[in-house]
Amino acid sequence: MNLFDTHSHYNDEKFDLDREEMIRETLRSGVSNFIVAGYNVESSKKAVEIAQNYNELYATVGISPNDLDNIKSQEEIKENVEKIAQIPSKKIVAIGEIGLDYYWNKENKEIQKEMFAKQIELANKLKLPIVIHTREAVLDTLEMLKTHNVERKGIFHCCPLNRELVKEGLKLGFYISLSGVITFKNAKNAEEIIQMIPEDRLLIETDSPYLAPEPVRGTRNNSINVKYVAEKIAKVKNKTIEEIAKITNENAKKIFNI
Ligand code: NI
């Protein structure tokens, strides 16, 4: 099988003790490619460093809405986006994760929006797609995408199982990346959401080391577990897991221009 995990954080410190072994094991397990996603300047640099060592790995760079503790002014936004822009571009396939998160951060909505906008501009300048993180911010996220031109479009990473967001996101031309959340027993509308996504806009991911799917929920997640996400989708769409792997692999290569 050639599973493509479009979002992991093998740059996280939870992989510091066994990163190389874990990557090798992942690439032997039926996962042909995966993305290491940055979420601030340091983790973005690390994502690129890791990806440079393996043909099968790629990186995204960006500053997430949950990493703005030291970014409070226009100047600080500019400085930090500049640092992202200066990371050597080899192996960078998207700007992300970027977006809005009002679950963890309600106090700095304007800074979040400004940071999101500036990184959309960077993506356009570099001719890259964006990887969107959105939580409890459906309306503002959609508003941002409607009022800012995103040339290469992008991906809703770990897409919340929100009908409105998926519907409008698809209409705007974005891909929907589903994570282990769809396997959780309390994800009541997972099947409906899976059915809403046409095959040519569907992606799969783990968000490792977080969000381990059933039946390994609660453990440190890794990209090998993306098979459980594919398996759930296959069941709902009445396909084989191999078919879902093939479709989502082709979609990933298309959006990331690999
Ligand atoms: Ni992430």
Side-chain angles (χ1 to χ4, degrees), residues 16-33:
D16 279 355
L17 293 178
D18 62 349
R19 181 170 293 108
E20 280 186 35
E21 287 152 71
M22 203 60 242
I23 292 172
R24 284 200 211 96
E25 199 186 325
T26 301
L27 294 173
R28 279 196 305 263
S29 74
V31 174
S32 58
N33 302 88

Side-chain angles (χ1 to χ4, degrees), residues 58-171:
Y58 298 89
T60 72
V61 296
I63 299 170
S64 97
N66 295 324
D67 285 77
L68 303 179
D69 287 352
N70 299 312
I71 304 175
K72 294 180 165 58
S73 66
Q74 295 295 330
E75 295 82 78
E76 284 164 342
I77 291 175
K78 233 179 119 190
E79 272 167 34
N80 279 276
V81 173
E82 192 49 38
K83 283 183 195 163
I84 292 290
Q86 281 164 0
I87 298 174
S89 65
K90 217 175 146 227
K91 307 243 50 183
I92 298 177
V93 293
I95 298 298
E97 52 188 284
I98 61 175
L100 303 176
D101 191 321
Y102 301 164
Y103 177 82
W104 291 113
N105 292 291
K106 293 181 195 53
E107 314 304 325
N108 63 348
K109 290 183 181 177
E110 289 313 310
I111 292 286
Q112 289 190 40
K113 286 184 195 171
E114 192 59 27
M115 187 52 127
F116 191 14
K118 284 276 175 293
Q119 293 184 97
I120 290 173
E121 277 173 30
L122 176 63
N124 289 343
K125 195 170 130 199
L126 299 176
K127 299 186 167 38
L128 292 171
I130 61 172
V131 174
I132 303 166
H133 169 107
T134 177
R135 191 163 180 198
E136 306 266 309
V138 171
L139 293 178
D140 280 7
T141 301
L142 291 170
E143 181 66 21
M144 286 290 294
L145 298 175
K146 284 172 187 168
T147 53
H148 294 76
N149 176 40
V150 188
E151 280 170 23
R152 288 268 332 270
K153 303 302 173 197
I155 297 166
F156 280 93
H157 123 72
C158 190
C159 190
L161 304 180
N162 176 297
R163 198 190 301 143
E164 186 67 9
L165 181 70
V166 171
K167 193 178 118 207
E168 293 298 316
L170 288 167
K171 228 192 262 177

Side-chain angles (χ1 to χ4, degrees), residues 7-9 37-39 97 131 133 157-158 205-208 210:
H7 196 104
S8 83
H9 298 290
Y39 43 89
E97 52 188 284
V131 174
H133 169 107
H157 123 72
C158 190
E205 66 169 78
T206 57
D207 207 12
S208 309
Y210 312 104

